[in-house]
């Protein structure tokens, strides 16, 4: 399992992460939420080795990965997608997945088949576009392609940074189904960051809430949404100031 | 899902070889056609021009292997062309002629004449050793730093050619190299270079290298080692350029250091930029178009008569044209004529679009 604790990271004077925490078990879907600028993407960058933390540890299955590079962390079994998409535009859809394959560890034939490029494209609904250049895909398809590419590394933990951003309701529902499938069939633990709280509440059993780099609550959605500090962050101090929409979402849990 | 996907791994391995081979052969077809036309119908003078153009094609393909796949701009490739050419010249030129040209060559090289069958592999080894050394440095750099270091490498190699006259005969022509290659051999070399470059592009290494060029951060997060990948491409690029040098030396019989310097660097660079550095097709197209274009300009350069009117000589026009090609391409179509698609991929995409339109009707 992934266990991240006590992460601190400052950019100049900005304390982007202040004792941030995150945990995820294989097959589990957890949510990482918080307002814009809370430090969610920075935490993903620390966990995946893009950024070196000032303090704290990243441990996967008992192995301390803190401070190792992105490649080593990928090989150890943590994969990710990007808030600002980073598909390989000039490669075909199929090649985007194959290129991620080429470095993965020895697999049993059964597992290898499940993560074969064609099987992954099928899982993520991209098989029709296999030979198209990735740069020519729609925004929603590029998001799914990033997930397929990440799964090709056969990760134990998959970090999704705002996978539903820019998707319509129907696409978001489909995405939720795919995420569940990845967790149950492939056994990966999945961390989902998103601002669509209905989507998060639908698929996550456990939530981590951050604000200004600090963890402010964690637990089941039911518990988290009753936490006064979470309500304050999401609805604002004093319930009157919140918009109707936000109150609906929070109370609708 | 599980069972039908099982054989995917072995078939994926043979799929890239098939793609590379068919793609390479399709891309090489225009070259073969033009080459055969020149062998069959063109006067001797034009056969020489065709040979020079095809040597350039091999250099451009070599340049594409590194620059096109890694996205790292470099200007040093002519150093490897020169090393290949001088390697063959020094090893294979008959002792009698070496007594005249390089009588004091070190390591007893003036006392021996090697058969091309041995001289060529040894020249490749020399090129490979220098590529491995320079590749260790180049692979760590990107952008302007890589360009400057590759240029410095070119200048160093050129200086050694000039200032070690006992071995390279200084800035004088090195003559008497056995003319072992004719136009057919150079055509075969160009076809081989195109097919090899295309196979490399489709191979796992080529694919991974293109991913690092496309988005380095995403590629490194997939555990791809950009330095190791660049080193491999640099080595292959150097070997292809070295082969071009050997073919040139064995065709012309005479070489000198200035052949493998800035003029060649910029000519081949303009060819690659015009055609499109992202693809082997681009290397092929750019070389053919610019070779014909420059030859047409050269005939105007010296003054021709059009409809009985004598045009003035415009010396230097071809140099200007070369510069204009680079500037216009960079400004208007930086991806070159071919863009992102290889010839066979463009044909495939066209066919797919047509069949989709048929179905839609
Ligand atoms: N590379 C960076 N340099 C400087 N400041 C940064 C950098 N990345 C993020 N930050 C700052 O860190 C804070 C957290 O940002 P981020 O992790 O992107 O938040 P979130 O993903 O939760 O919206 C913000 O104040 C942001 O401006
Ligand atoms: Mg973010």
């Amino acid at each position: 399992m992934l266990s991240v604790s006590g992460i601190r990271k400052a950019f100049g004077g900005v304390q982007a992460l202040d004792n941030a925490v995150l945990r995820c078990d294989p097959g589990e879907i957890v949510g990482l939420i918080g307002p814009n600028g809370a430090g969610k993407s920075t935490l993903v960058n620390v966990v995946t080795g893009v950024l070196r933390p000032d303090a704290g540890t990243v441990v996967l299955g008992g192995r301390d990965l803190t401070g190792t590079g992105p490649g080593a962390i990928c090989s150890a079994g943590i994969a990710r997608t990007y808030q600002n998409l980073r598909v390989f535009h000039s490669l075909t859809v199929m090649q985007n997945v194959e290129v991620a394959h080429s470095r993965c560890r020895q697999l049993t034939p059964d597992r290898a088949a499940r993560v074969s490029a064609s099987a992954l494209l099928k899982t993520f609904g991209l098989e029709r576009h296999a030979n198209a250049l990735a740069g020519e895909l729609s925004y929603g398809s590029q998001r799914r392609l990033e997930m397929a590419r990440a799964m090709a590394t056969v990760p134990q933990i998959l970090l999704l940074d705002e996978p539903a951003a820019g998707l319509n309701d129907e696409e978001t529902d489909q995405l939720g189904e795919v995420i569940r499938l990845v967790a149950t069939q492939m056994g990966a633990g999945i961390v989902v960051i998103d601002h669509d709280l209905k989507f998060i509440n639908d698929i996550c059993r456990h939530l981590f809430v951050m604000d200004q780099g600090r963890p402010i609550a964690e637990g089941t959605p039911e518990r988290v949404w009753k936490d006064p500090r979470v309500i304050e962050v999401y609805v604002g101090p004093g319930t009157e100031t919140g918009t109707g929409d936000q109150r609906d979402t929070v109370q609708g849990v | 899902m599980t069972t039908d996907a099982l054989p995917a791994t072995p078939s994926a391995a043979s799929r890239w070889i098939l793609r590379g081979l068919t793609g390479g052969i399709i891309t090489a077809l225009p070259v073969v056609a033009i080459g055969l036309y020149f062998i069959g119908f063109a006067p001797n003078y034009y056969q020489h021009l065709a040979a020079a153009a095809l040597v350039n094609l091999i250099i451009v393909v070599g340049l594409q292997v590194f620059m096109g796949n890694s996205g790292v701009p470099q200007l040093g490739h002519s150093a490897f062309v020169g090393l290949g050419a001088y390697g063959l010249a020094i090893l294979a030129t008959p002792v009698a002629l070496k007594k005249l040209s390089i009588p004091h060559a070190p390591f007893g090289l003036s006392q021996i004449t090697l058969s091309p069958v041995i001289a060529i592999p040894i020249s490749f080894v020399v090129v490979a050793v220098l590529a491995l050394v320079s590749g260790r440095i180049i692979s760590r750099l990107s952008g302007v730093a890589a360009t400057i270091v590759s240029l410095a490498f070119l200048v160093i190699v050129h200086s050694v050619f000039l200032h070690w006259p006992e071995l390279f005969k200084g800035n004088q022509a090195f003559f008497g190299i056995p003319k072992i290659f004719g136009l057919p051999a150079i055509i075969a070399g160009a076809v081989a270079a195109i097919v090899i470059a295309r196979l490399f592009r489709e191979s796992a290494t080529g694919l991974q290298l293109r991913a690092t060029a496309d988005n380095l951060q995403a590629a490194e997060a997939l555990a791809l080692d950009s330095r190791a990948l660049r080193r491999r491409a640099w080595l292959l690029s150097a070997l292809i350029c070295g082969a071009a040098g050997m073919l040139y030396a064995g065709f012309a019989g005479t070489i000198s250091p200035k052949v493998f310097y800035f003029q060649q660097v910029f000519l081949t660079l303009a060819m690659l930029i015009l055609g499109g550095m992202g693809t082997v097709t681009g290397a092929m197209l750019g070389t053919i178009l610019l070779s014909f274009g420059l030859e047409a300009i050269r005939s105007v350069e010296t003054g021709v008569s059009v409809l009985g009117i004598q045009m003035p000589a415009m010396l230097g026009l071809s140099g200007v044209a070369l510069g204009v090609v680079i500037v216009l391409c960079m400004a208007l179509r930086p991806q070159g004529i071919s863009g992102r698609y290889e010839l066979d991929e463009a044909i495939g995409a066209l066919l797919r679009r047509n069949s989709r339109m048929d179905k839609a009707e």
Side-chain angles (χ1 to χ4, degrees), chain A residues 11 14 16 35-43 83:
Chain A
F11 296 108
V14 181
N36 267 325
K40 306 178 297 292
S41 296
T42 305
L43 185 57
Q83 183 174 350

Side-chain angles (χ1 to χ4, degrees), chain A residues 47-107:
Chain A
V47 172
T48 53
V50 177
L51 294 174
R52 203 180 270 270
D54 302 331
T57 53
V58 177
V59 178
L60 180 71
R63 231 179 104 195
D64 187 353
L65 300 173
T66 322
T68 58
I73 286 184
C74 168
S75 303
I78 301 178
R80 69 174 296 183
T81 65
Y82 297 86
Q83 183 174 350
N84 305 311
L85 290 168
R86 285 180 182 273
V87 297
F88 301 123
H89 289 93
S90 58
L91 305 188
T92 67
V93 169
M94 178 71 98
Q95 287 172 337
N96 263 269
V97 177
E98 283 173 349
V99 85
H101 253 161
S102 29
R103 292 275 306 195
C104 72
R105 294 136 290 159
Q106 287 293 316
L107 299 169

Side-chain angles (χ1 to χ4, degrees), chain B residues 10-321:
Chain B
S11 84
S14 54
R15 195 149 31 89
W16 75 259
I17 295 178
L18 200 67
R19 252 178 98 118
L21 275 180
T22 46
I25 289 165
I26 290 173
T27 311
L29 281 179
V31 176
V32 174
I34 294 173
L36 290 180
Y37 174 83
F38 273 86
I39 291 178
F41 303 103
N44 212 10
Y45 167 69
Y46 282 104
Q47 296 211 9
H48 267 82
L49 286 183
L54 286 171
V55 168
N56 283 337
L57 173 59
I58 300 173
I59 300 170
V60 176
V61 168
L63 185 60
Q64 194 277 334
V65 163
F66 181 77
M67 211 161 111
N69 292 308
S70 74
V72 177
Q74 67 107 354
L75 300 171
H77 53 286
S78 280
F80 294 114
V81 184
L83 285 166
Y86 274 100
L88 183 68
I90 291 166
L91 295 173
T93 301
V95 170
L97 287 161
K98 278 202 252 192
K99 287 246 159 61
L100 296 172
S101 58
I102 48 167
H104 307 298
F107 321 120
L109 284 168
S110 58
Q111 322 292 326
I112 52 159
T113 303
L114 297 182
S115 135
V117 183
I118 300 164
I120 289 171
I122 294 178
S123 304
F124 271 123
V125 169
V126 172
V127 168
V129 168
L130 278 147
L132 288 172
V133 173
S134 54
R136 292 205 75 83
I137 301 163
I138 287 282
S139 64
R140 291 164 184 272
L141 309 170
S142 52
V144 182
T147 317
I148 291 173
V149 168
S150 67
L151 198 60
F153 177 68
L154 174 72
V155 173
I156 291 169
V157 171
H158 183 72
S159 297
V160 172
F161 288 159
L162 281 185
H163 299 295
W164 194 354
E166 294 80 15
L167 188 57
F168 298 105
K169 213 166 172 288
N171 67 358
Q172 290 177 314
F174 194 120
F175 56 84
I177 308 161
K179 294 190 181 182
I180 47 178
F181 299 123
L183 189 50
I186 295 181
I187 294 173
V191 171
I194 287 173
V195 172
I196 290 169
R198 192 55 204 283
L199 277 170
F200 178 75
R201 188 176 192 268
E202 301 300 330
S203 72
T205 302
L207 192 62
Q208 292 170 16
L209 186 60
R210 284 188 283 145
T212 67
D214 197 314
N215 196 315
L216 187 59
Q217 190 185 327
E220 290 189 333
L222 295 171
L224 302 184
D225 181 347
S226 63
R227 290 182 184 177
L229 295 165
R230 285 178 190 168
R231 279 200 299 271
R232 281 179 231 162
W234 181 257
L235 176 62
L236 181 60
S237 167
L239 291 173
I240 292 174
C241 287
M246 292 178 221
L247 284 165
Y248 179 79
F251 179 83
T254 305
I255 57 175
S256 62
K258 67 172 189 292
V259 175
F260 314 109
Y261 211 38
F262 285 134
Q263 206 173 349
Q264 184 180 70
V265 169
F266 284 117
L267 175 63
T268 49
L269 192 68
M271 288 169 165
L272 185 59
I273 289 172
L274 174 68
M277 68 172 105
T279 58
V280 182
T281 303
M284 182 273 290
L285 272 181
T287 309
I288 291 178
L289 289 176
L290 210 50
S291 299
F292 279 110
L294 285 177
E295 202 40 45
I297 288 171
R298 268 189 210 112
S299 60
V300 178
E301 217 167 28
T302 51
V304 287
S305 61
V306 179
L307 302 172
I309 302 161
Q310 179 67 32
M311 306 293 280
M314 290 179 282
L315 297 175
L317 191 62
S318 54
V320 173

Side-chain angles (χ1 to χ4, degrees), chain A residues 108-121:
Chain A
T108 62
D110 176 57
R111 228 180 134 96
R114 221 173 308 156
V115 298
S116 80
S118 50
L120 281 171
L121 291 189

